[in-house]
Amino acid sequence: MRVRSDSPAGTEQTGQKIGKCLRPGDIVCLYGDLGAGKTTLVRGIASAFGISGRDITSASFTVIAEYPVSPSFYHIDLYRIKSPNDLDSTGIWDLLGGDAISVIEWAENLGDITGQRGNIIRIRLSDSGSDTREIMIEGIHEDTWNNL
Ligand SMILES: Nc1ncnc2c1ncn2[C@@H]1O[C@H](COP(=O)(O)OP(=O)(O)OP(=O)(O)O)[C@@H](O)[C@H]1O
Ligand SMILES: [Mg+2]
């Protein structure tokens, strides 16, 4: 599925819609260049779980930020991770899937996670000039999306 956004607010709205389609155990992998809008999209996704956008930061030094909502919500930013081996000390392999929702920026730095428990949703963002972004979504629960 492809969605076009013309503003940061539009990207947040798309994120909120995505959030409403998520279920416990879902792993949302975000791909896109610097400034593509990943963190902006996460703000929208998080809002569907009652998390304030102000609490979502692009703090790349915090690899994993946990939000105390139910189901648990993790915002993960792998910008600084150079090798999947660097992840072993973060505890990420225990939390992915499970009953939590995980949203991961720079998900390419995870390495191969096919075979990971949990439904994997892949979202690719690209800047198509000025404030326009293309958002490609794969693996979402489409029945839920179509009924929103
Ligand atoms: N349609 C749009 N959607 C999202 N962001 C937009 C849009 N138009 C302009 N922007 C701007 O692009 C930037 C997106 O920043 P954001 O932090 O969300 O990107 P990011 O992909 O998380 O970057 P990083 O790789 O540094 O983490 C913001 O400055 C935002 O205001
Ligand atoms: Mg970011």
Side-chain angles (χ1 to χ4, degrees):
M1 183 171 19
R2 182 194 292 266
V3 178
R4 197 184 158 93
S5 158
D6 295 318
S7 65
T11 298
E12 277 200 43
Q13 257 168 38
T14 299
Q16 186 174 55
K17 215 172 153 184
I18 292 167
K20 287 178 178 163
C21 297
L22 297 179
R23 300 180 192 160
D26 281 353
I27 302 169
V28 182
C29 294
L30 303 181
Y31 306 91
D33 294 340
L34 280 170
K38 300 179 294 298
T39 301
T40 306
L41 191 79
V42 177
R43 287 202 177 95
I45 296 174
S47 73
F49 296 91
I51 300 162
S52 162
R54 274 169 297 160
D55 292 336
I56 302 286
T57 57
S58 42
S60 295
F61 290 104
T62 316
V63 176
I64 301 177
E66 180 180 7
Y67 295 86
V69 291
S70 181
S72 298
F73 187 96
Y74 294 99
H75 175 204
I76 300 171
D77 191 328
L78 302 182
Y79 181 59
R80 281 164 205 285
I81 298 293
K82 297 281 170 272
S83 143
N85 293 333
D86 295 346
L87 286 168
D88 290 346
S89 61
T90 65
I92 189 171
W93 305 120
D94 299 323
L95 64 87
L96 287 188
D99 290 331
I101 301 227
S102 313
V103 182
I104 309 170
E105 295 190 47
W106 297 99
E108 51 270 60
N109 293 345
L110 269 179
D112 183 10
I113 58 161
T114 51
Q116 183 72 39
R117 68 206 164 117
N119 177 49
I120 299 172
I121 293 155
R122 297 187 198 273
I123 302 180
R124 295 182 173 76
L125 293 99
S126 58
D127 184 333
S128 28
S130 57
D131 286 349
T132 307
R133 302 290 189 272
E134 298 288 337
I135 305 170
M136 295 285 305
I137 307 167
E138 275 170 39
I140 198 133
H141 307 284
E142 288 203 26
D143 291 351
T144 315
W145 176 276
N146 292 329
N147 285 313
L148 284 176

